Amino acid sequence: MNGRIIAIGDIHGCHQEFAELLEKLELTKDDRLILLGDLVNRGPDSGKVIDLARRFRAISLLGNHELRLLTYRKNKTPVAEISRETDADTFQKLRFEDWAYLESMQLTYYVEELNTVFVHGGFLPHEPWQRQPAEVVTRIQSVDNQGRPCKRADAPDAPPWADLWS
């Protein structure tokens, strides 16, 4: 394997900080840049983050923020009905090419030589990672006592998914 694998998650529209990090990394043509989801929302310009991802030929994985925006779009949700302010703002600002980029994002990225799966969130234990739905893979934090994915806030005593994964 030539080059480095560089994984970066949760950029959240912070294009300036992302640009500064990319500059410090001094990427080469042999490096693989993997963006672990949540490129969008919260920060000042999600579109510019997507522009940088495109420019640096990043492998971009779907996060819960992209999934939510794509769901609004698929369901034709009026912007006025989008309850999260940052979602509504991003939804209105994304350009056609940004939507195309979001729609092309992979759910996982497997690197065979490392036997490693890159993902935004995680996986339920005892189920093949290749068959787990986006709703689980992008959102899971913990696994409740009934084996269901959950957020830490919803089940503070539940173990993190990674503690149960092998």
Side-chain angles (χ1 to χ4, degrees):
M1 175 172 68
N2 293 331
R4 302 170 293 172
I5 293 178
I6 299 165
I8 302 169
D10 297 84
I11 299 165
H12 284 295
C14 295
H15 68 284
Q16 186 61 46
E17 293 83 351
F18 182 39
E20 290 170 11
L21 177 58
L22 291 171
E23 187 177 313
K24 287 180 182 190
L25 288 170
E26 298 179 356
L27 295 169
T28 71
K29 65 177 179 51
D30 295 324
D31 292 333
R32 277 187 273 182
L33 177 62
I34 305 170
L35 303 180
L36 303 173
D38 287 359
L39 280 67
V40 300
N41 284 349
R42 297 186 180 157
D45 199 326
S46 296
K48 286 184 181 176
V49 169
I50 294 169
D51 289 343
L52 286 167
R54 237 191 250 100
R55 187 169 121 213
F56 285 90
R57 298 176 324 280
I59 297 159
S60 293
L61 305 182
L62 193 68
N64 56 302
H65 283 257
E66 289 88 9
L67 182 62
R68 204 167 50 239
L69 290 171
L70 289 166
T71 300
Y72 294 142
R73 191 164 195 241
K74 178 182 167 199
N75 294 338
K76 297 181 176 21
T77 304
V79 174
E81 291 180 23
I82 297 175
S83 59
R84 295 180 180 188
E85 188 177 321
T86 59
D87 285 4
D89 185 55
T90 301
F91 191 92
Q92 290 179 295
K93 290 180 178 175
L94 290 179
R95 304 158 295 187
F96 175 80
E97 60 269 22
D98 299 333
W99 286 109
Y101 194 83
L102 296 187
E103 288 168 357
S104 74
M105 292 172 86
Q106 300 171 215
L107 189 56
T108 59
Y109 182 71
Y110 180 63
V111 178
E112 186 173 3
E113 59 267 31
L114 298 176
N115 191 29
T116 300
V117 182
F118 291 86
V119 64
H120 176 68
F123 303 109
L124 279 170
H126 315 298
E127 292 185 32
W129 62 267
Q130 300 92 330
R131 293 199 299 246
Q132 296 196 33
E135 292 74 24
V136 169
V137 172
T138 62
R139 292 186 172 104
I140 191 171
Q141 294 176 346
S142 300
V143 179
D144 71 15
N145 60 6
Q146 297 184 2
R148 295 180 305 225
C150 61
K151 297 266 188 194
R152 285 183 296 273
D154 297 335
D157 297 328
W161 73 271
D163 287 357
L164 305 173
W165 181 261
S166 60

